[in-house]
Amino acid sequence: TERAGHKVTLHVPQRGEKAELLAMAQRNAREDVERVTTAQERENRTLSQLAGMLSLAAPPERMESYDISNLGSSDMVAGMIVFENGRPCKKMYKKFSIKENVIQNDLACMQEVLRRRFKHYLDPEETDEGFKRLPDLILLDGGKNQLAAVNEVLWELDITVPVFGMVKDNNHRTRAITSDGGEIGISETKSAFLLVTRIQDEVHRFAITYQ
């Protein structure tokens, strides 16, 4: 009204031809946005949103995720996956066969895997590109107990990397991210939620396929 200089009334059609025209206009607008926004730009925006939610200093270019898989107390293995710039980087994936923990103990197994992974990083003679770089973010398949176990290993090795857990609901669907301060809801930010869900599903798939 201020800009037009006279009273303006807005009508929002709910049904009929005008409602169909409005829906078509919305679809056209959405398609225009998608045409001018590249996939990488969308991924960068998602990573920026995730960084804001987790209070990270910068969007995480490299993310690592870990999961343990076993059949009772036998065939215990772990998978490590890597996402770079929001996309899986499968050439960097790693498989671990649990060696030190001969009984089922997911926390001890997770500690063994993280300790082995970062000892590779600390080895000055290491040549494997998958181990030579620190991640900007670690996402674990699990909650506060897994988080505490991994932070203990990082403290032991004097390595500083943000670590968060990915929590599932009773239907085994991603529900939230957990930190030292409690749970962080992510479902309201669709793109970040879909990214975390994808990471959680992928690390579970990779670990169980190896197992």
Side-chain angles (χ1 to χ4, degrees):
T1 296
E2 288 178 359
R3 295 181 65 178
H6 56 79
K7 184 177 180 181
V8 174
T9 303
L10 301 180
H11 296 280
V12 184
Q14 302 298 317
R15 62 181 68 85
E17 182 180 355
K18 290 184 178 180
E20 292 175 3
L21 288 172
L22 179 60
M24 183 172 65
Q26 291 173 330
R27 286 195 299 271
N28 290 343
R30 189 180 305 113
E31 289 170 2
D32 282 343
V33 170
E34 290 174 352
R35 275 195 292 269
V36 301
T37 305
T38 67
Q40 189 58 61
E41 287 172 335
R42 291 195 295 271
E43 287 158 0
N44 290 343
R45 185 169 62 244
T46 298
L47 293 173
S48 294
Q49 290 174 341
L50 183 63
M53 294 164 61
L54 304 183
S55 299
L56 303 180
E61 293 182 8
R62 179 187 172 105
M63 295 181 284
E64 292 182 3
S65 186
Y66 299 81
D67 191 17
I68 305 294
S69 183
N70 60 68
L71 287 173
S73 59
S74 65
D75 298 319
M76 292 183 290
V77 302
M80 162 188 148
I81 68 167
V82 177
F83 270 53
E84 290 193 341
N85 297 313
R87 301 178 184 181
C89 185
K90 294 190 177 183
K91 67 180 181 180
M92 299 288 185
Y93 286 17
K94 300 296 179 188
K95 301 172 182 176
F96 297 85
S97 178
I98 303 301
K99 299 177 180 179
E100 299 171 8
N101 296 283
V102 294
I103 60 173
Q104 184 179 2
N105 184 330
D106 280 0
L107 298 183
C109 290
M110 187 68 78
Q111 286 187 317
E112 175 186 332
V113 169
L114 270 291
R115 188 175 289 111
R116 285 164 57 187
R117 183 267 181 265
F118 286 109
K119 281 187 175 179
H120 278 290
Y121 167 75
L122 294 171
D123 183 351
E125 298 182 0
E126 180 61 59
T127 58
D128 190 323
E129 290 295 329
F131 287 132
K132 287 173 64 176
R133 180 179 167 190
L134 276 181
D136 302 308
L137 173 65
I138 294 174
L139 291 172
L140 305 172
D141 190 72
K144 289 185 177 180
N145 291 336
Q146 284 82 357
L147 197 64
V150 168
N151 277 325
E152 183 178 321
V153 172
L154 296 180
W155 179 85
E156 168 192 316
L157 298 177
D158 195 25
I159 288 176
T160 302
V161 177
V163 184
F164 293 85
M166 300 177 292
V167 184
K168 293 181 179 179
D169 60 21
N170 293 332
N171 295 316
H172 300 283
R173 294 176 299 198
T174 306
R175 187 188 80 236
I177 291 179
T178 187
S179 69
D180 293 334
E183 288 191 0
I184 302 169
I186 58 173
S187 58
E188 293 183 1
T189 306
K190 185 177 179 180
S191 58
F193 173 76
L194 291 176
L195 175 60
V196 173
T197 298
R198 185 183 182 195
I199 291 172
Q200 189 167 35
D201 290 345
E202 175 67 357
V203 72
H204 180 68
R205 178 203 66 80
F206 184 64
I208 203 169
T209 299
Y210 175 43
Q211 193 265 346

